[in-house]
Amino acid sequence: SPTMSSNTVPEMVLVTPVTTTLAPNSDVSPEPSMAMAETDCPARPAVTPASAQLPPPPAVVVPRYSMPSPRSASPAPENWQRRVGDDTVGIGNAVLSRWPISASDSVHLPSGDAPDEGRVALHAMVETPHGSLPVTCTHLNSAWGHSTIRNEQLRAACRLITSQPRGDFPPVLCGDFNALPDFDEVLALAGKRDLLVPDLVLLDAWSFVESDDGYTWDRRNPHVDETHEPSARIDYIFVGLPDEPGLGKPTQGALFGTHPVGGVWPSDH
């Protein structure tokens, strides 16, 4: 069964980027890896908190490799275009897989009374050698006071999951939720609050494999430190309940991008 390990034989690449442009066909071959990552902020040179303010980050460019790559463009990209200083870039979510993707679908997430930030959820059915794996990636509103909005966004993402054909493996929901583990919207996924949709329970994969905090928003990263916010885990991989033989149970997990390479941090997450 698939694992979430960066140390085992590579199986799949799942990426949930928001500041992303999709380049024309490229001859570059992808490096095989097994990862689920949120790329909210592209690589930039490391700085100290006392340094000058960073310029707006450029867009991340994801080459169109010779692999399946369904993507869902944001219907309201203006906020991200302002951040990168380019009103021509396309913003959205994508799933990249070394295995065939037999179907995909997406939904525009609700924004409540707040301005529409163009958030989406993207679903893909990945046909692994071991069976079909339903994968959904998303990126939710980020404001601290938007818990109610994120709750409704996750409800919409869960409805997308349940509207699709069942896979051989339990479903996976991953991405940048911008919510702490004890926030209501996160607890509701596991049924620790009223379920967002009937009969869909999703568990935090990190809780299966690790016992530490697993911060994905870490003040050791200077781009996080300059926000004056506390370290937190806000990026997740959620999995459906494993079946009786344990099919779909996470077996390994790891954080990556936790240190600069050549003075460059890969992301603020």
Side-chain angles (χ1 to χ4, degrees), residues 15-20 35-47 54 57-62 83 215-218 220-224 235 255-269:
V15 187
T16 58
V18 288
T19 308
T20 303
M36 297 191 183
E38 191 279 333
T39 56
D40 188 34
C41 172
R44 292 179 287 177
V47 295
L54 293 169
V60 176
V61 177
V62 178
R83 286 185 62 180
Y215 290 148
T216 62
W217 179 256
D218 195 330
R220 292 177 299 175
N221 184 323
H223 304 305
V224 174
D235 306 89
L255 295 175
F256 61 92
T258 57
H259 297 88
V261 176
V264 175
W265 287 83
S267 171
D268 56 349
H269 288 242

Side-chain angles (χ1 to χ4, degrees), residues 223-234:
H223 304 305
V224 174
D225 188 62
E226 68 178 4
T227 69
H228 309 297
E229 294 181 0
S231 297
R233 183 155 62 92
I234 59 176

Side-chain angles (χ1 to χ4, degrees), residues 18-33:
V18 288
T19 308
T20 303
T21 62
L22 295 169
N25 288 334
S26 171
D27 294 330
V28 178
S29 297
E31 287 293 328
S33 63

Side-chain angles (χ1 to χ4, degrees), residues 170-182:
V172 171
L173 174 62
C174 59
D176 176 4
F177 289 13
N178 281 309
L180 303 184
D182 61 352

Side-chain angles (χ1 to χ4, degrees), residues 11-142:
E11 294 187 331
M12 183 174 2
V13 182
L14 302 172
V15 187
T16 58
V18 288
T19 308
T20 303
T21 62
L22 295 169
N25 288 334
S26 171
D27 294 330
V28 178
S29 297
E31 287 293 328
S33 63
M34 173 63 175
M36 297 191 183
E38 191 279 333
T39 56
D40 188 34
C41 172
R44 292 179 287 177
V47 295
T48 64
S51 66
Q53 292 224 348
L54 293 169
V60 176
V61 177
V62 178
R64 185 178 300 164
Y65 299 130
S66 56
M67 60 168 64
S69 56
R71 44 272 173 209
S72 178
S74 169
E78 296 80 12
N79 177 53
W80 303 105
Q81 290 171 341
R82 285 193 296 270
R83 286 185 62 180
V84 302
D86 185 348
D87 61 5
T88 66
V89 299
I91 310 300
N93 288 25
V95 175
L96 308 181
S97 172
R98 67 178 299 181
W99 294 323
I101 292 177
S102 58
S104 64
D105 197 2
S106 64
V107 63
H108 180 195
L109 301 181
S111 57
D113 295 332
D116 186 3
E117 298 182 3
R119 309 288 184 168
V120 297
L122 171 64
H123 174 87
M125 185 66 77
V126 182
E127 302 298 336
T128 83
H130 314 288
S132 55
L133 173 65
V135 177
T136 301
C137 66
T138 192
H139 181 222
L140 308 181
N141 275 32
S142 60

